[in-house]
Structure formats: structure tokens, C-alpha cells
Amino acid sequence: MSAVRPFTLAVPQAELDDLHRRLDQTRWPERETATGWDQGVPTDRLRALVDYWRRGYDWRRCEAMLNGFGQFKTMIDGLDVHFLHIRSRHDGAMPLLLTHGWPGSVIEFHKVIGPLTDPPAHGGNPADAFHLVIPSLPGYGFSDKPAETGWGVERIAQAWAALMDRLGYDRYVAQGGDWGSSVTVTLGTQAPSGLIGVHLNMLSIMPPDLGDQLDPDEQRAVAASRHFADVESAYARLQATRPQTIGYALADSPVGQAAWIYEKLRGWSDCDGEPENIFSRDEMLDAIMLYWLTNSAASSARLYWESMGSFRPMKVDLPLGYTQFPREILAPPRRWAEQVFSQIIHWNSVEKGGHFAAFEQPALFVEELRTCFRRLRE
């Protein structure tokens, strides 16, 4: 049961035919009464995306891409975990564990796989090469869905450590954003044998007592947190309190699932208000399809129910790197992080990008990881 097994993705044509039938039979609501995105996804924008989904999108292209990377499954703690495993051809490559979040998947890393594993082919130095392990969170993508409670970030972090051990990596680093950040911070707290450092592109942290005098960085951090709570957090409250209910709606409607994710791709990315400025329609639909084809609306939302309280300060003594992308939903000052992380080896702000860092700005993401983890190479 502990064997690592190759996994080839081959979605039955009947499932794609069913998707097309559902798209053809969509019952659309009336148009929004406000302008732009003020009430959610504008009808004309979603209709255009769905029309392309029905008539121009090719799932088999995405399927071939994933199969080309090298997909695997292995049983850990009673769940079959899906992951990409791409080994570098370069000597001395550093093993790197990449963890996605919601509404992400392994798809969001597809642009950085080449540059990270084969730097010379992308204008880089072979000394910066990584072996990559990119798992799908339990309940997401092609990993199993937990059939019981208890699969929060703590248990996921333990499973990830077991995965790296099973693959034979006794010295590795880890990276994550969104839920991947929480899992990676938890890994840092657990400090499994072999983990030597972490990098994050999102960090949820706030001192219990802010005091009366906030510097400009702290003011920006508080403002970002309040904006998220007041404007952006409705989805999280639903998924953290009623994941099964929202799952019924999204599991039965591909258009509903698309709208649920399309809105976040727009709201959390550095796209000047237009998601198509940064993502192609194919890329957005690839991301949506990994939720639709796996029927994972409810199972992915349950991680909020399990672990919403896990975005909290935890003491981490392993080396930490952090990159602030300007349109990330949170913006913690370094002085707050220094109260939690005892070894900050890299802290940087870049000029472009948002919540989906590797998906939006792959070149910046790659350079940040190379710079951070050079400090930990033998």
C-alpha cells in the first residue's frame, strides 16, 4: 500500500459529453443591476467564458500536459495522494515541495516546472536546479477525498513529510501560498527530519496587541486585512461553515463552479481588473476543470471547515523566506514575522503579481525561490 504508482489521466469522453450537455442547458439568471464586477461576475463576461468552454476549449491538451510532467499516486494515512514528480537532470538539484491552495491546483505551477528543474534551458544556472514534488491537497484534484473529519493542515503536513521520506528525499525545502502557506508553516512548526527551510508567498499573521502607534507598513497590513474581511471573505465564511451546502450548488452546475473560481482569479490577481490580462481562457478553464471533473467543490471547501483557525501565528525556527507580491490579499510587515520566525533568510517585495504568484508571474516566482534557497544549498 506504500508503493508509488504511476498515474495516467484519461477522462472518459462521456464525462466531457455530460459537461457539454450541462453547459448547453444552463439556466441563466437575469443581468446584474450594478456596473462592472460590483455584484460579482458580470453576465456578459461569464457568458463569453462559458461559450469558449463549450466551443473552443480542449481538455485533452491539458490532460496531455499533466501526463507529460509525470503523475503519481501513493497511499498515505488511508488516502491515495496524487502528485507530480519531476526530477532535474542536473547534479546537486535541491528537492522542493510545492503546495497549492484554493482555488488552486497543481495546474498553477505548470509554468515554473521547466525553469525550476532545468535552469540552463531557461537562461539560468544549473546550480539553481530543483527536483519538484507537487501534491494535490486531500479533497482536491486527483487526490482522494477524506471520508472522515480530521484532515486539517496539521495532518496534511504530516502526510507531506511522509511523502518526501517515501520518495527518498532526506534533505529538502518547501514552498506554499494560500492553504499551501498554512501547510508549509505547519511543516516548519513540526520540523520533520529532512526539512531544512521554507518559502512563502502568503503569510497570515498579526500580533495580538497592535498598540496605538502603527508605522506605514503596519497600517497597510491592517488595511489589507480589513479589506479582505469586509469585501473578499464571504466565500471563506461559507466554505468554513457550510461546505456541504455550497458543494451541492457547485457540484451540479459547471457554470456555477466556473463563476465561483473566475471571480477569485480576477479579484486576487494583479490583472488591472481584467483576468484575461494575466490569464488565458485556456489557463482559467484548466484550473476550473480540475474542480469540475473531480467533483471537488464540497471536499475542497471542507479544508476551510477543518482548518480556518490554522492561519495563526506559530513559532518556526527553520530558515524562512518570504516574497510579498503587490496584489496579495495580505501584506504582513517583516517586524511582525520576526516575532514568529527566528531565522528569516530572505524577505523581499516584487513589483508585479498577486495571490496566484507562480501562475501570474512565473519568472519572478522562480527568481525568488532561487535567491532564497541558495542560502541553504550545500
Side-chain angles (χ1 to χ4, degrees):
M1 295 300 288
S2 64
V4 174
R5 314 179 315 275
F7 171 69
T8 300
L9 183 57
V11 173
Q13 184 60 42
E15 292 191 25
L16 302 180
D17 293 341
D18 176 70
L19 168 63
H20 292 162
R21 178 186 62 79
R22 290 170 182 267
L23 293 177
D24 287 338
Q25 296 179 357
T26 299
R27 185 173 72 166
W28 292 90
E30 68 281 359
R31 289 181 56 88
E32 61 280 0
T33 56
T35 59
W37 293 70
D38 286 351
Q39 293 180 344
V41 182
T43 303
D44 60 342
R45 301 298 297 276
L46 189 58
R47 279 185 174 272
L49 181 66
V50 170
D51 183 69
Y52 179 77
W53 197 5
R54 176 63 180 88
R55 294 172 176 81
Y57 175 76
D58 179 14
W59 163 252
R60 300 301 183 193
R61 170 200 47 78
C62 180
E63 189 175 78
M65 178 182 70
L66 290 171
N67 286 331
F69 287 137
Q71 300 188 93
F72 300 86
K73 286 191 173 185
T74 190
M75 185 72 69
I76 300 176
D77 196 8
L79 288 186
D80 227 8
V81 173
H82 165 264
F83 62 100
L84 306 182
H85 188 197
I86 308 97
R87 287 189 57 84
S88 174
R89 64 186 177 91
H90 298 287
D91 293 336
M94 174 180 280
L96 169 61
L97 173 66
L98 294 172
T99 306
H100 67 85
W102 184 94
S105 66
V106 298
I107 287 287
E108 70 187 64
F109 297 113
H110 80 276
K111 300 176 189 177
V112 304
I113 288 173
L116 288 173
T117 57
D118 192 5
H122 300 269
N125 188 326
D128 288 323
F130 294 91
H131 302 306
L132 299 182
V133 179
I134 313 176
S136 297
L137 290 166
Y140 289 67
F142 298 99
S143 284
D144 277 356
K145 300 176 174 68
E148 60 185 8
T149 60
W151 271 97
V153 297
E154 295 81 7
R155 193 169 176 181
I156 294 170
Q158 292 170 354
W160 278 195
L163 173 62
M164 296 303 283
D165 182 66
R166 185 169 299 173
L167 295 175
Y169 292 128
D170 57 6
R171 190 175 187 273
Y172 63 93
V173 293
Q175 197 284 333
D178 193 86
W179 281 114
S181 171
S182 187
V183 171
T184 303
V185 169
T186 303
L187 268 168
T189 302
Q190 295 172 352
S193 175
L195 180 64
I196 62 171
V198 301
H199 177 276
L200 311 173
N201 59 273
M202 191 193 88
L203 180 57
S204 177
I205 184 172
M206 186 176 290
D209 183 10
L210 287 173
D212 297 326
Q213 301 296 321
L214 301 182
D215 65 27
D217 287 343
E218 291 174 314
Q219 292 173 18
R220 283 190 290 272
V222 171
S225 181
R226 286 175 177 168
H227 174 79
F228 178 77
D230 294 342
V231 179
E232 295 286 349
S233 67
Y235 84 96
R237 294 175 185 176
L238 279 172
Q239 296 192 158
T241 58
R242 297 295 183 269
Q244 194 69 18
T245 303
I246 192 64
Y248 293 131
L250 301 183
D252 195 50
S253 170
V255 171
Q257 181 69 87
W260 198 242
I261 293 176
Y262 185 41
E263 180 185 271
K264 299 311 175 192
L265 291 173
R266 184 259 182 183
W268 296 349
S269 66
D270 193 1
C271 65
D272 296 323
E274 299 294 335
E276 288 80 3
N277 286 344
I278 195 71
F279 304 114
S280 71
R281 283 178 171 172
D282 282 336
E283 288 171 344
M284 291 188 287
L285 290 169
D286 288 347
I288 291 164
M289 284 288 275
L290 259 70
Y291 285 79
W292 175 255
L293 290 174
T294 59
N295 192 13
S296 56
S299 58
S300 62
R302 288 191 200 108
L303 185 52
Y304 288 75
W305 187 90
E306 292 278 3
S307 289
M308 201 59 186
S310 294
F311 286 104
R312 62 187 187 276
M314 292 183 283
K315 191 68 175 175
V316 178
D317 292 321
L318 287 171
L320 168 100
Y322 177 74
T323 303
Q324 181 69 52
F325 287 82
R327 286 282 297 170
E328 179 54 84
I329 57 180
L330 301 173
R334 177 168 179 155
R335 61 181 288 186
W336 292 359
E338 289 171 344
Q339 300 176 31
V340 178
F341 301 99
S342 62
Q343 294 190 65
I344 298 178
I345 61 171
H346 177 77
W347 190 278
N348 190 38
S349 297
V350 295
E351 67 273 16
K352 188 72 175 172
H355 188 67
F356 309 97
F359 208 8
E360 297 178 51
Q361 295 296 328
L364 288 175
F365 181 85
V366 166
E367 187 55 37
E368 284 297 294
L369 266 59
R370 289 174 178 171
T371 301
C372 174
F373 290 131
R374 281 182 194 132
R375 301 281 304 275
L376 302 180
R377 291 183 182 270
E378 292 180 338

